[in-house]
Amino acid sequence: PEKALNWGVNITHAITIGALSGRIGADYYETSFRNQIFPDYNRSPLVAVVENYTDRSVSRAFQSDLDLNHPSGLQFKLAYNFLDVYRKKADGTKDVLPFNPEHRVLCVISMAPVDKPWQADVHWHGYGKQRLPDTDQNPELYQRNRVSDPYSLTTAQFTWRFTKWEIYGGCENIFDFRQKQPILSWQD
């Protein structure tokens, strides 16, 4: 089984700016693994290796967020998340784990008038660069960069509330972000 030590700290402060009320917060959490079940993406792109990793492996997360509310029903949320996820190799170097963007941003704007039965929400998620598995051993046609480009996703939803139920509709991935060739050599 995995063995780890977890700890964290959170600071939250209530704020008022004119008619706006809300809070600002900051969190820091760390997990230090002594035994971790680990998919090894570096050994070979041709095999899936999942094994116990007993050297040091760490996940550190820092998040700051702001939440503001207006009496009209307008709400604004902004959050930033920094992830430092790695394992220490035998030679002491850091091996940054793939598929974990260091930087993430979330922005939410919501309107839910107190005297109306509807609510509208727009969410924007921004993802920074992230390490990808090494594909250097593949034929040139099936090689990709070792780091992804940053990308973002935007969603929107409209909700109408009735006495005992509600209906909603929305759209995900409004700007149609798509990863090019998410599966290498799929046609083979």
Side-chain angles (χ1 to χ4, degrees):
E2 290 189 328
K3 295 177 184 175
L5 175 64
N6 301 302
W7 68 276
V9 63
N10 169 275
I11 297 171
T12 304
H13 179 70
I15 58 174
T16 303
I17 305 169
L20 298 173
S21 64
R23 63 169 199 79
I24 188 167
D27 304 75
Y28 177 82
Y29 291 96
E30 183 171 317
T31 303
S32 183
F33 291 92
R34 289 183 292 141
N35 184 35
Q36 182 181 25
I37 297 171
F38 183 79
D40 189 344
Y41 296 102
N42 297 324
R43 195 168 304 176
S44 170
L46 305 175
V47 296
V49 178
V50 179
E51 61 189 3
N52 283 51
Y53 185 76
T54 56
D55 288 334
R56 187 159 189 242
S57 181
V58 176
S59 172
R60 294 184 180 121
F62 169 77
Q63 179 171 310
S64 61
D65 55 274
L66 172 67
D67 186 358
L68 295 173
N69 301 291
H70 190 269
S72 66
L74 183 64
Q75 183 178 35
F76 174 77
K77 292 181 183 182
L78 180 65
Y80 167 76
N81 185 268
F82 173 78
L83 292 175
D84 184 23
V85 182
Y86 65 91
R87 67 180 186 166
K88 284 277 190 165
K89 296 195 288 190
D91 63 3
T93 59
K94 253 177 140 175
D95 182 18
V96 176
L97 298 183
F99 308 118
N100 287 292
E102 277 189 338
H103 306 282
R104 297 178 190 196
V105 177
L106 169 66
C107 182
V108 178
I109 299 174
S110 180
M111 184 62 182
V114 290
D115 59 343
K116 305 284 185 205
W118 59 268
Q119 178 174 337
D121 303 286
V122 176
H123 294 228
W124 180 83
H125 297 257
Y127 299 91
K129 296 177 183 179
Q130 55 191 300
R131 190 173 82 71
L132 299 174
D134 183 351
T135 56
D136 288 352
Q137 295 178 32
N138 288 355
E140 190 173 335
L141 178 64
Y142 302 125
Q143 292 178 8
R144 64 167 50 141
N145 293 334
R146 290 186 181 198
V147 177
S148 74
D149 292 329
Y151 67 97
S152 65
L153 298 172
T154 304
T155 63
Q157 179 174 309
F158 186 81
T159 306
W160 194 276
R161 292 184 183 86
F162 296 92
T163 306
K164 295 187 178 187
W165 53 281
E166 60 186 45
I167 59 172
Y168 68 91
C171 183
E172 294 183 356
N173 196 11
I174 291 173
F175 299 108
D176 197 29
F177 169 78
R178 293 176 193 236
Q179 181 182 358
K180 293 180 176 90
Q181 294 182 331
I183 300 172
L184 296 176
S185 186
W186 59 268
Q187 67 278 13
D188 296 330

